Amino acid sequence: MEREAVFSTRARQMTRSVIRELLKLTADPEVISFAGGLPAPETFPVDKVREAAEKVLREEAAKALQYGPTEGDIRLRADLAGMMREDGIDADPEHVIVLTASQQGLDLIGKVFFDPGDTAVVGFPTYLGAIQAFRSYQADLVGVELDDEGMRPDLLEKTLDRLESEDRRPKFIYLVPDFQNPAGVTIPEARRRQIIALARDRGYLLVEDTPYRQLRYAGRHQATFQSLAPDCVISLYTFSKILLPGFRLGWAYGPDWVLDKMVMAKQGTDLCSPPFTQAITHYVIESGGFREGLQHTIELYRERRRVMLESLDQELGATEGVTWTRPEGGLFLWLTLPEGCDTQELFEAAIAEKVAYVPGRAFYPPGMGGERSMRLNFSYCSEELIRKGVSRLAALIRKQLG
Amino acid sequence: MEREAVFSTRARQMTRSVIRELLKLTADPEVISFAGGLPAPETFPVDKVREAAEKVLREEAAKALQYGPTEGDIRLRADLAGMMREDGIDADPEHVIVLTASQQGLDLIGKVFFDPGDTAVVGFPTYLGAIQAFRSYQADLVGVELDDEGMRPDLLEKTLDRLESEDRRPKFIYLVPDFQNPAGVTIPEARRRQIIALARDRGYLLVEDTPYRQLRYAGRHQATFQSLAPDCVISLYTFSKILLPGFRLGWAYGPDWVLDKMVMAKQGTDLCSPPFTQAITHYVIESGGFREGLQHTIELYRERRRVMLESLDQELGATEGVTWTRPEGGLFLWLTLPEGCDTQELFEAAIAEKVAYVPGRAFYPPGMGGERSMRLNFSYCSEELIRKGVSRLAALIRKQLG
């Protein structure tokens, strides 16, 4: 049998996730890892989960352990619509679909929009999981560089002009507007309105992927794209960073004509998300455990972010050409070294010094950028480890810069 | 915005699952439904799940509520390899990957094998979820009719000859060898060997989808395709019918060069299956609760199958031209009416008489067969309801046949 030839074109192009492969290297307990995107386990509301699991198994096991509707548990959909209404979105539970984590949302969006060679506009750098999901449908991702306020509307307009002149209208514009992964930047409301005006004017959909939105430690919430333009925005959310990742639950919200297709695609993908953990999540929300836990998480991460920024200021503040973003929320910041540096090359030395990060290249399609940047996570390590890890990393960078 | 035009070719062709839409019609509690594929909730080992969930949350919450490896919990993979070894397969835990139910396995197989227009051979009738998953990658499904012993090797050979002469080598042959859904038939070992010889001779992969294998009520186990041809068989399993569906967990086993691609595809699809329910499932297996529950399930379904077959014999044994399969296991049997009947047309009358089934058409691509057949499920209803439901259905059929 000709092994490689039997696969689809997409599969022949597939590579393992750089980050997930890299996380295996950082499994050494001596390594202080800023590489992962892991929430801190001390934020998981274990007692509330236990109470909810007991309740579900006591009162509704026959239903919770059975198949469920593809769209999700109607009670959880109502909870989620309620949360969205508090965030200024006029949300209808019927327009919420529960996902097996927001990664499934990216996969379903890829599935329902992309024929091979179709185009989408994404920010550069952008979330690796989105690159991976969209490329698995052989989409051509066209990047618009971010600045400290996210995607630049002027560059977006130029990109759209160019794509339209080449008869390559993108299927949508993909945005991570709040504390973007990996850059940590947030799009201000005025800029959101500019991007929406551009999209509406030309008839484009926007995909708003916002896994960290509730994790704000400073500054003011900016209105969601969904609240500003419900007619043309599909929003993806996940519980992974705001409750826990181990249930693999998230949700999508958007115009019904798009959600309808996503539901059909989901039927062929996993029939439904697990009713058991959906019911548990519903009761964790109902009991107030979710809200209480989220407040605790915000306080914990606010301190860790502060410690990482302080440590960077102390250790690298005087080192010319090294810059980093100052995120108002989320899990990550983005550090950039002077011209000529290569964070991929530096990675091996970092592991030898027992500190890890994700090289910036992982957040671009191959060869398209990120060479001298790195993503640093501040949610997972304790304050003490953050100080120690930044110190190791800074020593390495200073040495590297001579 | 031109709504339909913005979708991918595959999405424009997508339809909602006939069965899942139909199940909504059967939600009336007065309707006795043989339509679903639901396991009986009384088979769920609720106490064992509760004990396992408590243990997980007490002893390993930080791990179980976190992200996990894409391949799955290594303890569960070892459990599954152990179960497969008891079934005559020389299974290595490293070659087991945990799936978010076997439906995800079908989706991943579609993703890694099909370019638009690629071909696969399937039995006709065949599992609707497979049709849906494969067609979502725009595969062309070529059917080989089943008889009472499953896929016919002589027809398979002719089909392969024809496809090869048309330069349309199929990517694989898809089989549900044990108590096939929907027909209830099982491929005897000798025929399995013939199919394998054909596939090996011509260099084809086989996909063995076997969700019901452990649910045998009569006769002897036939060796798995996996045990007979580990070099060219990818096997899919699920916990949905043998433990419970509400965790959405299943697994795949096969040659590493295929599993590698499936793991890469899974990374872009959901990163990992839920570590929480994987850990619970591991402890349910370790405690013996799985094995004990399975024995109970087999006894329960054996009786329900007997009652359905007896009721059909009594009610329709004398009605000329009505035939049905006599499955040795699984959840379904396949009933066929005389020429000229249409089970889709009959469906509305059946609902009016408060009994439901799945029209046979659902198990063929549109227009390709099944018009006068229906699938009947015998796992979900109590013996009393089975008798009453068969009685209603038989009265309707006799009336229909004049």
Side-chain angles (χ1 to χ4, degrees):
Chain A
M1 199 173 311
E2 285 176 66
R3 293 188 170 185
E4 203 57 20
V6 77
F7 291 118
S8 60
T9 308
R10 76 171 67 81
R12 290 199 296 272
Q13 292 167 352
M14 268 174 200
T15 50
R16 283 176 178 257
S17 153
V18 183
I19 294 186
R20 289 185 79 81
E21 295 309 308
L22 196 139
L23 290 180
K24 292 181 186 167
L25 291 179
T26 66
D28 172 358
E30 297 281 296
V31 171
I32 297 174
S33 179
F34 302 136
L38 300 185
E42 55 267 45
T43 64
F44 304 157
V46 180
D47 290 335
K48 298 291 182 182
V49 170
R50 183 186 298 112
E51 280 166 34
E54 276 167 16
K55 187 176 168 73
V56 168
L57 290 170
R58 192 171 60 237
E59 295 177 7
E60 52 184 272
K63 199 175 142 214
L65 302 180
Q66 189 58 278
Y67 291 100
T70 306
E71 295 84 351
D73 183 323
I74 188 65
R75 300 168 301 176
L76 182 59
R77 294 165 73 197
D79 296 334
L80 296 172
M83 282 164 54
M84 294 173 77
R85 280 197 295 274
E86 287 177 25
D87 194 18
I89 297 162
D90 183 25
D92 174 353
E94 290 287 320
H95 289 203
V96 176
I97 58 172
V98 177
L99 301 171
T100 310
S102 60
Q103 187 66 38
Q104 183 182 55
L106 295 169
D107 180 63
L108 295 178
I109 283 174
K111 199 166 196 165
V112 306
F113 286 112
F114 293 132
D115 282 321
D118 278 351
T119 301
V121 173
V122 305
F124 273 175
T126 204
Y127 171 52
L128 175 75
I131 298 181
Q132 217 182 352
F134 297 160
R135 279 172 56 95
S136 84
Y137 294 97
Q138 295 157 275
D140 188 14
L141 304 181
V142 175
V144 173
E145 282 294 324
L146 309 182
D147 64 16
D148 282 353
E149 299 190 331
M151 191 181 282
R152 282 176 50 182
D154 58 331
L155 294 183
L156 173 61
E157 186 166 17
K158 274 192 198 149
T159 302
L160 294 175
D161 283 344
R162 176 171 65 81
L163 290 173
E164 287 166 10
S165 76
E166 293 167 0
D167 207 17
R168 291 167 63 207
R169 278 178 66 85
K171 288 298 182 86
F172 55 78
I173 300 157
Y174 173 75
L175 299 148
V176 184
D178 304 297
F179 329 121
Q180 198 247 20
N181 176 2
V185 297
T186 296
I187 309 178
E189 190 170 320
R191 190 179 273 195
R192 294 181 190 217
R193 290 182 189 275
Q194 287 177 283
I195 292 171
I196 288 167
L198 266 173
R200 275 215 181 110
D201 195 39
R202 298 168 186 233
Y204 293 119
L205 290 168
L206 297 165
V207 175
E208 171 181 48
D209 186 8
T210 185
Y212 321 107
R213 178 163 176 84
Q214 291 88 340
L215 301 174
R216 176 175 277 280
Y217 321 126
R220 278 195 325 111
H221 270 300
Q222 305 300 307
T224 56
F225 278 89
Q226 186 61 247
S227 67
L228 298 172
D231 55 306
C232 62
V233 175
I234 306 147
S235 301
L236 297 178
Y237 295 87
T238 176
F239 280 110
S240 294
K241 307 306 193 302
I242 59 174
L243 178 65
L244 53 90
F247 291 169
R248 314 301 304 120
L249 290 176
W251 70 100
Y253 190 89
D256 52 2
W257 61 277
V258 177
L259 290 187
D260 261 10
K261 288 287 182 196
M262 288 175 70
V263 168
M264 287 181 220
K266 184 171 164 64
Q267 284 179 343
T269 304
D270 68 356
L271 299 177
C272 62
S273 295
F276 178 56
T277 44
Q278 288 185 66
I280 293 175
T281 304
H282 161 65
Y283 287 120
V284 171
I285 293 171
E286 197 185 61
S287 72
F290 169 70
R291 193 176 296 259
E292 193 186 307
L294 183 60
Q295 201 46 52
H296 170 235
T297 304
I298 290 171
E299 283 157 26
L300 185 78
Y301 292 175
R302 179 184 282 132
E303 278 309 290
R304 291 185 175 181
R305 164 187 161 276
R306 185 184 61 74
V307 169
M308 184 171 272
L309 286 173
E310 264 183 24
S311 302
L312 286 169
D313 288 342
Q314 282 164 15
E315 297 274 355
L316 289 167
T319 309
E320 210 167 333
V322 182
T323 59
W324 53 91
T325 57
R326 305 187 80 85
E328 296 189 327
L331 273 66
F332 306 109
L333 62 80
W334 185 248
L335 184 144
T336 301
L337 302 181
E339 290 283 355
C341 291
D342 188 321
T343 53
Q344 182 88 53
E345 280 176 19
L346 200 65
F347 186 73
E348 221 169 298
I351 292 291
E353 297 294 330
K354 308 289 186 197
V355 62
Y357 55 81
V358 180
R361 274 199 182 90
F363 306 98
Y364 291 78
M368 301 197 65
E371 290 78 6
R372 58 196 178 93
S373 295
M374 62 178 71
R375 187 188 75 176
L376 299 178
N377 167 276
F378 53 79
S379 63
Y380 188 70
C381 294
S382 68
E383 296 178 22
E384 193 195 332
L385 286 179
I386 290 174
R387 284 201 189 87
K388 207 185 277 184
V390 169
S391 174
R392 288 179 190 171
L393 183 64
L396 184 72
I397 290 172
R398 287 191 307 258
K399 194 175 137 202
Q400 172 77 10
L401 297 180
Chain B
M1 203 174 309
E2 285 177 65
R3 292 189 170 185
E4 204 58 20
V6 77
F7 291 119
S8 60
T9 307
R10 75 171 67 82
R12 289 198 297 271
Q13 292 167 353
M14 267 174 201
T15 51
R16 281 174 180 258
S17 153
V18 184
I19 296 188
R20 289 185 79 82
E21 295 308 309
L22 196 140
L23 291 180
K24 292 181 186 168
L25 291 179
T26 67
D28 172 359
E30 296 282 296
V31 172
I32 297 175
S33 179
F34 301 137
L38 299 186
E42 55 267 44
T43 64
F44 304 156
V46 180
D47 289 335
K48 298 291 181 181
V49 170
R50 182 185 299 112
E51 280 166 34
E54 276 167 16
K55 188 175 166 76
V56 168
L57 290 170
R58 195 172 56 238
E59 295 177 6
E60 52 184 272
K63 201 176 140 211
L65 302 180
Q66 191 56 278
Y67 291 99
T70 306
E71 295 84 351
D73 184 321
I74 188 64
R75 299 168 302 176
L76 182 59
R77 294 165 73 197
D79 297 334
L80 297 171
M83 284 165 55
M84 295 174 77
R85 280 196 296 273
E86 287 177 26
D87 194 19
I89 297 161
D90 183 24
D92 173 353
E94 290 286 320
H95 288 201
V96 176
I97 59 172
V98 177
L99 300 171
T100 309
S102 60
Q103 187 66 38
Q104 183 181 55
L106 294 169
D107 180 63
L108 295 179
I109 283 174
K111 199 166 198 167
V112 305
F113 286 113
F114 294 132
D115 282 321
D118 277 351
T119 301
V121 173
V122 305
F124 272 176
T126 205
Y127 171 53
L128 175 75
I131 298 181
Q132 217 183 352
F134 297 161
R135 278 171 56 93
S136 83
Y137 294 98
Q138 295 156 277
D140 188 14
L141 303 181
V142 175
V144 173
E145 283 294 323
L146 309 181
D147 64 16
D148 282 351
E149 299 190 331
M151 191 181 281
R152 282 177 50 184
D154 57 332
L155 293 183
L156 174 62
E157 186 167 16
K158 274 192 198 150
T159 302
L160 293 176
D161 282 345
R162 177 170 65 79
L163 291 174
E164 287 166 10
S165 76
E166 293 168 359
D167 207 18
R168 291 167 63 206
R169 279 179 65 87
K171 286 301 182 84
F172 55 79
I173 300 158
Y174 173 76
L175 299 147
V176 184
D178 305 298
F179 330 122
Q180 198 248 19
N181 176 2
V185 299
T186 296
I187 308 178
E189 188 170 322
R191 190 177 273 195
R192 294 180 190 217
R193 289 181 189 277
Q194 287 176 282
I195 292 171
I196 287 167
L198 266 171
R200 274 215 181 111
D201 197 38
R202 297 167 186 235
Y204 292 120
L205 289 169
L206 297 165
V207 174
E208 171 180 49
D209 186 8
T210 185
Y212 321 107
R213 178 166 176 83
Q214 291 89 339
L215 300 174
R216 177 175 277 279
Y217 322 125
R220 278 194 326 108
H221 269 298
Q222 305 300 306
T224 56
F225 277 89
Q226 185 61 246
S227 67
L228 298 171
D231 54 308
C232 62
V233 176
I234 306 146
S235 302
L236 296 179
Y237 297 86
T238 176
F239 280 110
S240 294
K241 307 307 192 300
I242 58 175
L243 179 65
L244 54 89
F247 291 170
R248 315 302 303 119
L249 289 177
W251 69 102
Y253 190 88
D256 52 2
W257 61 278
V258 177
L259 290 187
D260 261 9
K261 289 286 183 196
M262 289 175 69
V263 168
M264 287 181 224
K266 185 170 164 64
Q267 285 180 341
T269 303
D270 68 357
L271 298 177
C272 63
S273 295
F276 178 56
T277 46
Q278 289 186 66
I280 293 175
T281 304
H282 161 65
Y283 287 121
V284 170
I285 293 171
E286 196 185 60
S287 72
F290 169 70
R291 193 176 295 258
E292 193 186 308
L294 184 59
Q295 202 47 50
H296 170 236
T297 305
I298 289 171
E299 283 156 25
L300 185 78
Y301 292 174
R302 179 185 282 130
E303 278 310 290
R304 291 184 175 181
R305 162 187 163 276
R306 186 184 61 73
V307 169
M308 183 170 273
L309 286 172
E310 262 182 27
S311 303
L312 286 169
D313 288 341
Q314 282 164 17
E315 297 273 355
L316 289 167
T319 308
E320 210 166 333
V322 181
T323 59
W324 53 90
T325 56
R326 304 188 80 85
E328 296 189 326
L331 272 65
F332 306 108
L333 61 79
W334 184 248
L335 184 142
T336 302
L337 302 180
E339 289 283 353
C341 292
D342 188 320
T343 54
Q344 181 88 55
E345 280 175 20
L346 199 65
F347 186 75
E348 221 168 299
I351 292 291
E353 298 294 331
K354 308 288 186 201
V355 62
Y357 56 81
V358 180
R361 275 200 181 89
F363 306 98
Y364 291 78
M368 302 200 64
E371 289 78 6
R372 58 196 179 93
S373 296
M374 63 178 70
R375 187 188 75 175
L376 299 178
N377 167 277
F378 54 78
S379 63
Y380 188 71
C381 294
S382 68
E383 296 179 21
E384 194 196 332
L385 286 180
I386 291 175
R387 284 200 190 87
K388 206 184 277 184
V390 169
S391 174
R392 289 178 190 173
L393 183 64
L396 185 72
I397 289 173
R398 288 191 306 260
K399 194 175 138 202
Q400 172 77 9
L401 297 179

